[in-house]
């Protein structure tokens, strides 16, 4: 073990993954344990906050021990503890954060409260050392934003969803199609079964809200409603497998068109605002929906046309994990951005507190 490099334990419990990781400052992930609560929430077709918090509580201790064992370290080898302090389901956030604070207090270690969104946004620095400033498309179950990552703790939010988050739209549309939870990955699998793409697009046309408009905001509720209308128009009884594959395909293509349009605007703005400040302009996609291959392909060709680099984290680091939280901890430790043990859990915690509030944006703004 190289003792000159700092090591942090990262804890993530803001949604339905109990995740703990140990990461070293050179970006080596020494351990990364994720316990998905799929079974607990499946019957309800979505995450139930109370059940999530209780399940985190049940598993957090053994995950922390497991992550330390896997990494071959003990508490005395750690330089700090980082835990998600928001935004997210508050009961779950409190379980992870309190566990982190207790370890920090008992072992006299610094504590760092991490913004979950910053975890997603900085993953590209953990995996690929992307330099600031860079453009970020953050697409998860709770958020859909276009940001500029200027520095640790310093973000400009250029766009956000005015209604549903993209992951939420994937999940709700998948549910309407009768696909099991979690909807996003299952919808992608189903779309791959589409036999006749041209016919599918004709049979199930879908709207592209805000396409062609200025700015970088998103809207997805109209898309979800259109999926519902298609499903309701089909004959009574179960949808055929072919119908579902066609509708899923049309949905995914439409999402691609929306992202292409919104990101095109963001790329133009980024290049005109920041090109002097960065050697290689880069677009980073992150959050659970970044695991979608069609979305990755669309963004990759968009950046190619703009002479920009494109970075997408490996699939395992797209959805929620402890490594991204530990990494933000390491970045903040370097900047001496430590927290005291009275830091509160925050259900809402915008990365850019100066960003204009959007009507109807709610928690997701
Ligand atoms: O970042 P994440 O793990 O949790 C939040 O912070 O929300 O994102 C979860 C979201 C879910 O809505 C899930 O359906 C979606 O990411 N997702 C996908 C795919 N994999 C996960 N959506 C589309 N295609 C995928 N392959
Ligand atoms: Zn997330």
């Amino acid at each position: 073990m190289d003792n000159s490099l700092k090591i942090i334990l990262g804890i993530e419990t803001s949604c339905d993954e109990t995740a703990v990781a140990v990461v070293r400052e050179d970006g080596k992930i020494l351990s990364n344990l994720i316990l998905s609560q799929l079974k607990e929430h499946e019957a309800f077709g979505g995450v139930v906050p109370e059940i999530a918090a209780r399940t985190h509580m049940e598993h957090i201790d053994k995950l922390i021990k497991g992550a330390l064992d896997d990494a071959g370290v003990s508490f005395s080898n750690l330089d700090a503890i980082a835990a998600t302090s928001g935004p997210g389901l508050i009961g779950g956030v409190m379980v992870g954060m309190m566990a982190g604070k207790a370890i920090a207090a008992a072992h006299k270690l610094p504590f760092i409260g991490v913004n979950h969104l910053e975890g997603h946004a900085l993953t590209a620095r953990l995996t690929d050392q992307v330099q600031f400033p860079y453009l970020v498309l953050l697409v998860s179950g709770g958020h859909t934003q276009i940001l500029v990552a200027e520095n640790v703790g310093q973000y400009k939010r250029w766009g956000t969803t005015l209604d549903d988050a993209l992951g939420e739209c994937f999940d709700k549309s998948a549910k309407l199609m009768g696909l099991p939870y979690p909807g996003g990955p299952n919808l992608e699998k189903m779309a791959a079964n589409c036999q006749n793409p041209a016919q599918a697009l004709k049979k199930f046309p879908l709207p592209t809200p805000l396409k062609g408009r200025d700015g970088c905001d998103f809207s997805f509720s109209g898309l979800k409603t259109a999926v519902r209308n298609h499903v309701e128009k089909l004959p009574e009884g179960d949808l055929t497998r072919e119908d579902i594959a066609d509708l899923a395909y049309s949905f995914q293509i439409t999402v691609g068109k929306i992202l292409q349009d919104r990101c095109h605007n963001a790329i133009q703005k980024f290049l005109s605002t920041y090109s002097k400040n960065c050697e290689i302009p880069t677009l980073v996609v992150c959050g659970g929906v970044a695991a979608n291959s069609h979305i990755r392909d669309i963004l990759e060709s968009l950046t190619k046309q703009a002479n920009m680099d494109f970075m997408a984290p490996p699939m395992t680091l797209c959805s929620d994990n402890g490594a991204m939280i530990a990494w933000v901890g390491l970045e903040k430790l370097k900047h001496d951005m430590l927290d005291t043990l009275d830091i509160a859990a925050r259900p809402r915690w915008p990365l850019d507190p100066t960003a204009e509030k959007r009507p109807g944006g709610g928690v997701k703004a």
Side-chain angles (χ1 to χ4, degrees), residues 105-343:
H107 296 275
K108 300 193 170 36
L109 290 167
F111 178 78
I112 300 158
V114 172
N115 183 317
H116 177 86
L117 305 178
E118 190 163 28
H120 284 303
L122 297 191
T123 299
R125 288 172 56 78
L126 161 64
T127 56
D128 294 274
Q129 300 83 46
V130 176
Q131 298 298 300
F132 293 121
Y134 56 89
L135 188 60
V136 179
L137 171 66
L138 196 166
V139 274
S140 72
H143 296 85
T144 302
Q145 303 191 347
I146 289 182
L147 302 150
V148 178
E150 291 188 333
N151 208 334
V152 181
Q154 203 179 311
Y155 299 86
K156 289 267 179 337
R157 197 200 70 198
W158 281 354
T160 186
T161 179
L162 304 178
D163 38 59
D164 292 350
L166 181 53
E168 189 182 1
C169 182
F170 261 97
D171 293 341
K172 287 179 176 167
S173 300
K175 201 173 174 181
L176 288 166
M177 294 175 207
L179 296 173
Y181 173 83
N186 284 320
L187 193 153
E188 180 176 16
K189 274 187 214 134
M190 211 55 207
N193 292 325
C194 172
Q195 299 299 321
N196 189 336
Q199 193 186 303
L201 296 178
K202 234 192 215 159
K203 188 157 83 176
F204 296 118
L206 291 168
T208 49
L210 299 182
K211 188 163 177 275
R213 300 258 200 103
D214 285 348
C216 310
D217 283 337
F218 299 89
S219 167
F220 293 108
S221 67
L223 179 55
K224 177 191 64 192
T225 306
V227 168
R228 173 178 292 121
N229 290 341
H230 279 309
V231 171
E232 283 173 357
K233 265 189 231 143
L234 287 165
E236 288 274 317
D238 281 349
L239 293 172
T240 66
R241 211 180 141 75
E242 188 191 328
D243 280 337
I244 302 172
D246 288 354
L247 186 51
Y249 177 82
S250 177
F251 176 88
Q252 204 170 249
I253 292 291
T254 305
V255 167
K257 283 184 191 157
I258 296 170
L259 293 182
Q260 191 171 23
D261 177 73
R262 308 283 79 204
C263 291
H264 171 78
N265 290 358
I267 285 173
Q268 296 310 310
K269 185 169 170 179
F270 183 79
L271 292 176
S272 64
T273 319
Y274 287 91
S275 61
K276 284 193 202 87
N277 313 47
C278 54
E279 246 171 68
I280 314 165
T282 304
L283 170 69
V284 165
V285 65
C286 59
V289 185
N292 185 286
S293 300
H294 175 65
I295 291 176
R296 286 176 178 240
D297 290 348
I298 289 278
L299 297 172
E300 188 162 22
S301 59
L302 194 64
T303 47
K304 232 183 223 155
Q305 285 162 25
N307 252 334
M308 245 172 127
D309 262 15
F310 174 63
M311 208 61 78
M315 299 291 185
T316 49
L317 295 180
C318 283
S319 48
D320 294 347
N321 63 85
M324 70 181 191
I325 303 305
W327 178 254
V328 175
L330 284 156
E331 297 245 35
K332 289 181 96 172
L333 185 64
K334 262 186 233 160
H335 287 75
D336 226 10
M337 294 160 83
L338 307 176
D339 292 295
T340 49
L341 291 181
D342 58 359
I343 177 183

